Amino acid sequence: MTNIGVYLSSKTDVAPEIQEATETFGQWLGRTHKTLVYGGSRCGMMEVLARAVKENGGRVFGVVPQSIVERGLVSETIDVEFRCVDLNDRKAIMLRESDAFVALPGGIGTLDEVFTTAAAHVFGMHAKPLILFNVNGFWKPLIDMLDALEKQGVMTDKTHEAIHVANSLTELTAFLDA
């Protein structure tokens, strides 16, 4: 897997562990000559990740919605820029351009991307892995909710095939090196 789609926060004021995990993961992506495929913003953890990738020899693909362009928030780290209309267009391009997906801690946008990617997998639209990087148990409430939905019978067990969990960088990189 070469092109790694990453979903993450555009916020700056995150827990130090999240920033550290974001930077360390970006360094690994760069050192292993992976290509980051992400939302193209220069804000928050998105920029931390892109800079870490770039500074360590990786390539950066930015999938940039028009609203980011209009607000002057496009990162200068981008090697290849994909302009898109909106967030739905962004997700479709990221699905096409990525070999695997990693969700770092993030907010509503990250959740939207996780569920869109997982649903597309469940519906047979792709077979690419999606890994939740569970920094300090960040994704545990979501994992518990998904388990509860499955136990209630409202969700197929195929969702567990679509979503993997990595509790450390070592586990995460093992998924991506497979």
Side-chain angles (χ1 to χ4, degrees):
M1 291 178 253
T2 303
N3 291 1
I4 311 301
V6 180
Y7 308 133
L8 73 164
S9 179
S10 63
K11 301 299 245 174
T12 302
D13 296 333
V14 300
E17 300 84 13
I18 294 172
Q19 180 157 346
E20 181 181 325
T22 300
E23 196 163 358
T24 302
F25 179 52
Q27 291 166 352
W28 178 84
L29 287 170
R31 282 194 314 272
T32 56
H33 306 290
K34 305 289 188 194
T35 297
L36 167 65
V37 181
Y38 85 123
S41 171
R42 63 177 172 81
C43 297
M45 294 303 96
M46 294 176 77
E47 184 70 1
V48 168
L49 179 67
R51 283 183 190 222
V53 170
K54 192 77 168 169
E55 290 170 0
N56 286 276
R59 288 179 38 119
V60 177
F61 286 6
V63 185
V64 185
Q66 187 58 35
S67 63
I68 299 294
V69 174
E70 290 170 0
R71 292 186 289 166
L73 299 176
V74 179
S75 176
E76 293 181 13
T77 64
I78 297 172
D79 295 303
V80 177
E81 183 177 326
F82 296 87
R83 291 277 173 103
C84 57
V85 177
D86 56 24
L87 296 178
N88 289 326
D89 196 22
R90 175 198 265 175
K91 290 181 290 188
I93 293 168
M94 288 184 71
L95 269 170
R96 182 188 73 215
E97 295 298 323
S98 301
D99 301 319
F101 301 91
V102 172
L104 292 165
I108 195 74
T110 303
L111 287 169
D112 175 49
E113 292 161 331
V114 164
F115 283 120
T116 297
T117 303
H121 187 281
V122 169
F123 288 117
M125 300 168 78
H126 72 87
K128 301 171 184 180
L130 167 62
I131 305 113
L132 304 178
F133 189 6
N134 197 26
V135 178
N136 280 4
F138 181 88
W139 292 111
K140 186 175 181 342
L142 176 63
I143 296 160
D144 291 345
M145 184 187 77
L146 294 173
D147 288 342
L149 292 172
E150 187 177 342
K151 285 178 187 167
Q152 301 264 343
V154 297
M155 185 179 78
T156 175
D157 60 353
K158 286 185 178 182
T159 304
H160 285 288
E161 296 170 20
I163 300 175
H164 307 279
V165 179
N167 292 304
S168 67
L169 184 64
T170 302
E171 288 180 16
L172 177 59
T173 58
F175 275 116
L176 298 174
D177 278 339

